[in-house]
Amino acid sequence: MRAVALGDQTTYDAGTLTVSSAEAAALVADPALAEVRVSWASPGDSTRIVKVLDAVEPRTKGPGGGGIFPGFVGPAMPQGRGTTHVLRGTAVVTAGFLPRAQEAVVDMSGPAAPLSPLGTTHNLVVEFAPAPGAAWEAVYEALRNGSLALAARLAEAALGATPDAVEELPGLPDAGDRSLPRVAAITNLQTQGTFKEIFVYGRSFGSIALPTLIDPGDLDDGAVVSGQLGHPSLKNPTWVFQNHPVVAALRARHGVDLLCAGVVLSPEPVDATNKELVSAHAARLCKAAGFDAVIVTKEGGGNADADMALKMDALEELGIPTVALYAEMAGADGTGPSIVVPPTKATAMVSTGNYDERLSLPAMERALGGDRVDVAAATALDAFELPAAVVYASLSPLGWGHLTCQEAS
Amino acid sequence: MTTRVVHYINQFFAGLGGEDTATVPPASKAGAAGPGRKLAQLLGDDFEIVATVWCGDDHAAGPEVMDDLLALVRAAGPDVVVTGPAFTSGRYGLACARVAAAAAAEGIAAVACMHPDNPGIDEAGTAPVVASGEVARQMGPSLETLAAAVRKVAAGEPLGADDGRVGKIPRRNVTVDRTSAERAVALVLARLGGDREATEVPLPRFDQVTPAQPVTDVTTALVALVTEGALVPDANPDSLESARATRWLRYSLDGRDVLPAGEFRSVHGGFSTVWANEDPHRIVPLDAARQLEAEGAIGKLHGEYLVTAGNGTSVGNARRFGVEWAADLRRQGVQAALLTAT
């Protein structure tokens, strides 16, 4: 997308997306919402989005092909086949106060902009006022359903246009194909109940569900949707699940030096016994599936480190080399221990940066999502200092970002 | 020119006594004292220990005395500040680390010395730490390591593992060309190629906590309630953080038999607080503790509870809270603590 605007009708023309505010608000409208407003925030703007809840990339399966976001927009059936139309460089972003949400900030310019996936996209920001007496759960559900419907609608606006780029994505390799190492992704999903859950085919993934194998193509079509409001920098927004960076990196090497062999979705139970069960089971599943190596990712803070450590160890015990993506929690000065729960048998870890290191954000001319940033005791327009932990998806557990940690010289 | 050294030690090494004098306030004297005499010999004529600063361990572990200690250090006009060796002594190690950190933050060259398992090790900020032995019996070799480190630090040279440097070298966020996911794929290919060493994150080393001896007679013991469950008075008057806590708080239990819903609530950001707020005793079991006190099953309940929020807390801060709680409770004669965690 090269330019965006608001207008009377929702249209796409030669790299410009125009959105009808009235149509967008109507798509999100719900008895739990008293008011819905949309506005654009684009890269380079002097704009700060605060209280960011989720981001969705506009996609559709085409005319009459209601397969996108299965379980929400499309029917709850496996997807990942045929054509998916994508509005690259855009996102539908919900932002505003919800009681269980930790403050999450996106700057559209300045030093924090390149740290968040949303600092690089044209964002249609959906703000809202809850209906009097509406339950917060219903407000959150309305925003989720509405932003998915809106994202699908925006993509439909471009169906008549010639695509700027066409990518052919590899399907799963044949079961017997041993020509190259079969490498899979284990994607741990936060499963702590309402406000801290992830949806798969529209269903909340259970806290003690057993790990399950899915086709990576399902992710492209939005089978995994976020309902998770904790740990802003360590969140996996729907937008990042749709563009699963580990799957993308595996596909980039598919047929060259590895085979992208599948995705295992796994819960992150809250208690140790179930963490151990789920980890042991995930390792067995990977062994049975014939994976030669695995990359493990998480969602959440230190608690979620334990799930990765247990899986890494369980996989290494079965002889499957494993790499995990960890955010470091090394304190503001970077001298504390990096990882809350380290593995004991595995050692190969990628650092997505230090959660606690602080950065200075400049003053902005416009704020969306709210007026204040309480964690910085400041208005949303002020210049202030924050830990990286507050910058939305800046330490992306799924590996979107370019941050890492190095020892100071 | 002689390099002016200020040496920090605790009350024990200053010759004032052991645990019975752990509450002595910060003080200093001219010249070397205790292990400083041997350190001065090892450093030779180019160095002079111009002052020795000390403090009782229970005070030194508290954050409030750091200004006083630093004032005593500054008054002696040091070129280099040296702290320890603290061996594995937690409160002493914490004080050594913090004095070195505070000096370094003021631009004074500093080095601390303690065992790698000392819980204070991560509190040294940007000041380097060199390894001591585990116990004071190993004073000799520990001081030799320290003296060599002091010479290097005074000369502005960096300390490395060969100098006995332990603890963390600060890790800073940097931006690199490839995404984390791309680097993970490169790392997995390296592993498949037989490389078992490659990693971006060195494995952290955690100390093992030896449990305290059992309480001899709990029916006479003073027992404290402590929690990471972030239970605070309803208005959260001291603004306890719901995540990434940097401090802990204390609230009085004197004259209280219950913690009513509506008067107390949990501000913890890591779990749904509905059930905690419905009955705050689920986080701080004052009701049951008062009953045990009335029955004589415990001697007496301590007059306040200590609280922080354990959610996204750095290991360094969590460890510091533990050491500070232990010192605080010891100072007040508490013999046992019940830690409720969420």
Side-chain angles (χ1 to χ4, degrees), chain B residues 18-226:
Chain B
E19 286 296 343
D20 50 326
T21 56
T23 55
V24 301
S28 70
K29 60 166 257 188
R37 297 199 185 91
K38 171 79 173 164
L39 180 63
Q41 280 177 21
L42 291 167
L43 286 172
D45 291 343
D46 294 342
F47 292 80
E48 183 189 356
I49 297 183
V50 292
T52 303
V53 176
W54 65 83
C55 182
D57 280 338
D58 283 351
H59 272 308
E64 59 278 2
V65 299
M66 201 43 57
D67 289 347
D68 296 345
L69 284 173
L70 200 61
L72 291 170
V73 167
R74 226 187 274 117
D79 300 313
V80 184
V81 173
V82 182
T83 68
F87 308 102
T88 52
S89 165
R91 288 162 296 159
Y92 183 24
L94 197 57
C96 285
R98 285 186 177 169
V99 170
E106 293 217 347
I108 307 170
V111 56
C113 181
M114 65 192 72
H115 188 268
D117 286 345
N118 193 301
I121 197 161
D122 289 334
E123 288 281 307
T126 55
V129 180
V130 294
S132 76
E134 230 169 313
V135 289
R137 226 178 322 116
Q138 292 152 314
M139 181 66 87
S142 301
L143 286 175
E144 283 170 24
T145 304
L146 181 56
V150 171
R151 279 193 209 95
K152 279 204 161 185
V153 167
E157 293 170 28
L159 290 176
D162 291 348
D163 303 302
R165 182 164 185 173
V166 289
K168 290 291 294 274
I169 298 170
R171 291 173 66 75
R172 312 299 301 174
N173 281 343
V174 294
T175 301
V176 292
D177 286 342
R178 287 184 301 171
T179 67
S180 300
E182 289 163 351
R183 303 196 315 274
V185 170
L187 194 50
V188 99
L189 289 170
R191 278 284 278 117
L192 283 166
D195 184 344
R196 299 194 60 87
E197 305 297 322
T199 182
E200 292 184 5
V201 188
L203 271 182
R205 168 197 46 77
F206 288 112
D207 54 321
Q208 294 292 314
V209 177
T210 310
Q213 288 300 308
V215 178
T216 337
D217 181 7
V218 76
T219 64
T220 61
L222 181 59
V223 178
L225 300 178
V226 301

Side-chain angles (χ1 to χ4, degrees), chain A residues 29 56 83 152 220 231 303 324 379:
Chain A
V56 183
T83 302
D220 301 314
H231 294 290
N303 185 312
T379 79

Side-chain angles (χ1 to χ4, degrees), chain A residues 27-28 54 56 69 92-94 126 142-152:
Chain A
L27 280 166
V28 182
D54 193 27
V56 183
F69 304 119
V92 173
V93 176
T94 44
V126 178
L143 292 169
R144 182 162 52 245
N145 291 334
S147 58
L148 294 171
L150 179 53

Side-chain angles (χ1 to χ4, degrees), chain A residues 100 102 181 192 196 231 245-246 249-250 253 257 292-293 316 321 323 325 328-329 333-340 342-343 347-355 357 389-390 399-408, chain B residues 122 125-126 168-185 187-189 191-192 196-206 242-244 269-273 311-316 319:
Chain A
R100 290 291 312 284
Q102 288 174 269
Q192 295 185 13
K196 288 199 163 190
H231 294 290
V246 171
L250 288 174
R253 306 305 305 170
D257 38 26
D292 296 306
E316 292 277 348
V323 170
L325 279 73
E328 303 192 36
M329 300 174 97
D333 67 1
T335 58
S338 293
I339 292 171
V340 177
T347 53
M349 292 178 277
V350 163
S351 165
T352 67
N354 179 12
Y355 182 82
E357 187 169 317
V390 184
W400 176 87
H402 293 259
L403 276 184
T404 188
C405 280
Q406 286 174 2
E407 287 189 351
Chain B
D122 289 334
T126 55
K168 290 291 294 274
I169 298 170
R171 291 173 66 75
R172 312 299 301 174
N173 281 343
V174 294
T175 301
V176 292
D177 286 342
R178 287 184 301 171
T179 67
S180 300
E182 289 163 351
R183 303 196 315 274
V185 170
L187 194 50
V188 99
L189 289 170
R191 278 284 278 117
L192 283 166
R196 299 194 60 87
E197 305 297 322
T199 182
E200 292 184 5
V201 188
L203 271 182
R205 168 197 46 77
F206 288 112
S242 63
R244 304 181 299 278
F271 63 92
S272 169
T273 52
N311 176 34
T313 314
S314 69
V315 176
R319 185 144 55 177

